[in-house]
Amino acid sequence: MCQKLQIFLKENKANFLIKYDSVRENNKYTVMLFDTEKKERIAGGDTNSINETEQNILNDTRSDVDFDGINELFYKIQNSLKKDVDYVLMLSMNYSEEYLDYIIYVDESGNISHNKFDSYKELEDFVGESYG
């Protein structure tokens, strides 16, 4: 359920996102930890490897958060999308006023969906029902 990640984001007033862009030729993924107060990236960036970048984030922040839960949801969504069309997928956890928002953004060749959730449980349930 990635509780450590959620606690880390709240304590550090940070956002976390995973994004895939099929149009890019290189570094199709973006994995980033973002400081909402300083309005700057803490760690991460464009990459070809989610796991490698997340390991770098752990090293840079000296934290022991677990990305497995959020990665599982991301891959579940990604695996359900059509592979024969260009698409952008973003899954983010965003800090705002002492709580977190959870957002799924999908753009499949102009067919755009944007879903926002107030809890990780709502996000998890939606992904299970819609992309399971």
Side-chain angles (χ1 to χ4, degrees):
M1 189 161 144
C2 71
Q3 268 186 309
K4 284 185 180 182
L5 176 57
Q6 294 175 81
I7 291 167
F8 178 87
L9 295 176
K10 286 180 185 178
E11 287 177 350
N12 292 280
K13 299 179 180 175
N15 296 345
F16 177 76
L17 76 84
I18 305 172
K19 177 182 171 186
Y20 177 83
D21 186 342
S22 67
V23 176
R24 294 183 192 171
E25 289 187 27
N26 224 350
N27 295 322
K28 290 184 179 258
Y29 293 95
T30 301
V31 180
M32 188 176 356
L33 192 59
F34 186 82
D35 187 313
T36 62
E37 290 189 321
K38 294 179 182 175
K39 308 267 190 262
E40 65 185 22
R41 181 177 56 193
I42 297 169
D46 294 339
T47 183
N48 285 316
S49 171
I50 290 175
N51 292 333
E52 183 179 305
T53 304
E54 287 173 343
Q55 187 58 52
N56 291 339
I57 289 172
L58 293 176
N59 294 340
D60 291 348
T61 60
R62 295 189 178 116
S63 64
D64 66 343
V65 300
D66 184 356
F67 296 106
D68 291 345
I70 199 73
N71 288 350
E72 182 180 322
L73 295 177
F74 181 84
Y75 289 127
K76 191 175 279 192
I77 298 166
Q78 186 179 36
N79 290 336
S80 74
L81 298 175
K82 298 175 186 170
K83 304 300 182 229
D84 59 341
V85 297
D86 291 334
Y87 69 93
V88 174
L89 164 63
M90 185 180 75
L91 178 57
S92 64
M93 303 169 73
N94 302 312
Y95 174 83
S96 176
E97 305 293 326
E98 303 299 321
Y99 67 93
L100 294 173
D101 286 333
Y102 305 84
I103 296 173
I104 300 171
Y105 171 86
V106 178
D107 179 347
E108 285 184 286
S109 293
N111 185 13
I112 298 170
S113 67
H114 183 266
N115 296 281
K116 183 176 177 182
F117 307 93
D118 294 327
S119 73
Y120 185 82
K121 175 81 170 108
E122 287 178 31
L123 168 68
E124 202 171 34
D125 290 347
F126 179 83
V127 171
E129 292 167 11
S130 301
Y131 300 102

